[in-house]
Amino acid sequence: MTMQDFLESITEENPRPRIGRFKLRREEVSNMLTNTPPKTKGSKNFFRSLLGRGIISYTEYLFLLCILTKPKAGFEVAFKMFDRDGNQRVDKKEFLLMEEIFRMKSERSADESCDLSKKNTKSKSCTTSSLMIQNLKSKKQDFVVQETTLLRYFFGSKGRETLDFNTFCQFMDNLQTEVLELEFMEFAKGMPTISEADFAQVLLRYTQIDEDEKLSYFTRVREKILHQKGISFDEFRNFFQFLNNLDDFEIVMKMYTFADQSISQAEFERAVQVTTGHQLAPHLVDTVFQIFDKDGDGKLSQKEFIGVMKNRIHRGFREHLKSPVGWSGFKACVKHEIKYSL
């Protein structure tokens, strides 16, 4: 797919349809690759600057999804695992192996997420990781892959350059910022802030929450937050970067409370700081509480919040695009049209 295809698949709730498969000639691929900028010129506009003039593979697509949803710590471990001389650098072959491991993990996680009631998922995941690494290393085969814009960017036109962890971290930050900017600008319409209701809409999009229930969330925000201050992009980005550390946040929260009890805003803010080392804006935290505080007691159900946010991080695996058919589909369509025409 092209860079534009990737961005649309990530940020569009209903990406524009592609009719048929577009086949590229060798010279067209070669021309695309020549557009690749060097690592020294990486920016948060990397994908937007290339759009239809850059290509990525399926494995890279899944790998990029991991970059958007995982904390840096996991990738640091991967770099160290393949870093034989301790200089925190990987070559092209090592990077391809790392990509393949993350791809297999990503696909397996998607399968396991279909049954949230499974037990011992963490131990199974760790065992699976070890088996995958051993299996891939034992093959000792050269990866024969199509040259892509991403490989050209990381390893140069001859594929002999190496990638250091700091450069990769900068690439992660740039990609996350670029995608979040696109989502933010969709609602900001050129303004420096978005409304609290818009933030709620971004937060709940891609989740598997019923449309009628989502509407109740938005209504609650509008009714409870009478003096709206708006949410800036920096506040918006900080919150979604915090979500990438949601697993660590969940562990910290269990240390604060027992039996998944509700939590106060002060406990929430403290847990975020412990998890990420950063502070969220108090007004944004208050907005989050208003979104999820159904009974008005000023506390947040951590079980509900974490469940919905995990769904949001992985964009619901696009379950929302699976439209019902028949009479149920007709009723859903009518409800949707009435809702957005009022």
Side-chain angles (χ1 to χ4, degrees):
M1 61 166 56
T2 65
M3 301 304 205
Q4 182 173 0
D5 293 332
F6 171 74
L7 290 177
E8 288 185 8
S9 73
I10 294 300
T11 60
E12 297 289 337
E13 193 163 6
N14 292 285
R16 61 188 174 89
R18 268 66 172 176
I19 301 175
R21 184 171 61 177
F22 184 70
K23 295 183 179 181
L24 293 172
R25 298 190 300 272
R26 288 183 180 275
E27 55 269 26
E28 290 175 318
V29 173
S30 179
N31 288 335
M32 281 185 172
L33 295 176
T34 58
N35 295 317
T36 308
K39 291 194 293 284
T40 54
K41 294 187 177 181
S43 71
K44 63 181 182 181
N45 295 309
F46 177 67
F47 283 77
R48 284 175 288 184
S49 66
L50 293 172
L51 292 180
R53 298 181 296 118
I55 55 172
I56 62 173
S57 67
Y58 170 67
T59 298
E60 288 174 344
Y61 175 79
L62 295 180
F63 183 69
L64 292 172
L65 288 182
C66 288
I67 289 178
L68 291 173
T69 60
K70 303 295 182 185
K72 293 178 183 177
F75 293 96
E76 185 176 10
V77 170
F79 262 77
K80 288 180 179 179
M81 183 175 64
F82 294 108
D83 180 18
R84 298 177 182 176
D85 54 8
N87 64 354
Q88 286 196 318
R89 289 178 175 272
V90 295
D91 59 26
K92 185 177 180 180
K93 184 177 178 180
E94 291 168 338
F95 179 79
L96 288 170
L97 179 59
M98 185 170 66
E99 266 193 344
E100 183 67 9
I101 290 173
F102 275 97
R103 179 193 69 79
M104 294 169 69
K105 283 281 292 177
S106 180
E107 289 185 333
R108 188 172 184 84
S109 296
D111 292 337
E112 290 179 348
S113 70
C114 295
D115 184 4
L116 297 179
S117 63
K118 285 187 176 180
K119 296 181 179 180
N120 300 323
T121 301
K122 185 175 181 180
S123 61
K124 287 181 181 179
S125 178
C126 293
T127 302
T128 301
S129 297
S130 300
L131 290 174
M132 285 190 301
I133 293 170
Q134 293 173 10
N135 184 41
L136 288 170
K137 282 187 173 181
S138 64
K139 291 181 180 179
K140 295 182 180 180
Q141 62 181 14
D142 291 330
F143 287 91
V144 180
V145 296
Q146 167 64 51
E147 184 75 1
T148 64
T149 300
L150 205 58
L151 291 177
R152 178 68 64 90
Y153 174 75
F154 285 145
F155 303 103
S157 58
K158 296 183 179 179
R160 297 175 183 172
E161 296 179 17
T162 57
L163 176 65
D164 66 88
F165 184 64
N166 288 335
T167 301
F168 179 74
C169 282
Q170 188 60 58
F171 175 81
M172 285 185 67
D173 287 337
N174 287 338
L175 176 60
Q176 291 173 4
T177 300
E178 185 165 11
V179 170
L180 289 173
E181 272 190 355
L182 288 172
E183 290 194 271
F184 183 85
M185 291 189 298
E186 179 183 348
F187 291 89
K189 308 297 183 184
M191 302 297 288
T193 62
I194 61 174
S195 70
E196 287 77 1
D198 286 339
F199 175 74
Q201 191 168 346
V202 177
L203 200 59
L204 298 177
R205 74 193 310 191
Y206 312 124
T207 64
Q208 298 174 20
I209 297 177
D210 180 80
E211 288 297 323
D212 290 335
E213 189 177 355
K214 283 184 182 179
L215 188 58
S216 68
Y217 280 99
F218 305 149
T219 302
R220 185 160 58 246
V221 172
R222 292 190 183 98
E223 290 176 349
K224 289 187 175 183
I225 304 179
L226 301 178
H227 304 289
Q228 298 197 10
K229 299 179 181 179
I231 294 171
S232 69
F233 177 71
D234 286 339
E235 294 169 341
F236 181 87
R237 179 180 56 192
N238 288 341
F239 181 81
F240 281 98
Q241 288 182 339
F242 143 68
L243 289 185
N244 288 347
N245 296 274
L246 199 60
D247 289 338
D248 293 335
F249 173 81
E250 185 176 9
I251 294 172
V252 171
M253 285 315 309
K254 287 181 178 179
M255 295 179 183
Y256 274 101
T257 63
F258 299 94
D260 295 324
Q261 294 177 359
S262 297
I263 58 175
S264 67
Q265 290 194 28
E267 291 170 330
F268 183 90
E269 290 181 27
R270 174 61 178 161
V272 171
Q273 186 174 16
V274 169
T275 303
T276 66
H278 300 287
Q279 287 185 325
L280 296 179
H283 173 62
L284 186 144
V285 174
D286 180 63
T287 300
V288 171
F289 270 65
Q290 300 305 336
I291 294 172
F292 290 95
D293 182 14
K294 292 183 179 181
D295 55 12
D297 65 351
K299 293 193 173 183
L300 184 74
S301 168
Q302 60 165 304
K303 186 174 182 180
E304 179 187 10
F305 171 76
I306 290 173
V308 174
M309 290 302 95
K310 282 185 176 181
N311 194 220
R312 169 58 171 86
I313 289 174
H314 298 289
R315 299 174 185 267
F317 294 105
R318 294 298 187 180
E319 288 291 331
H320 63 287
L321 295 179
K322 296 181 180 179
S323 302
V325 296
W327 176 244
S328 298
F330 175 75
K331 289 193 294 183
C333 180
V334 171
K335 277 186 178 181
H336 183 274
E337 292 302 318
I338 292 176
K339 173 184 171 184
Y340 290 100
S341 62
L342 294 178

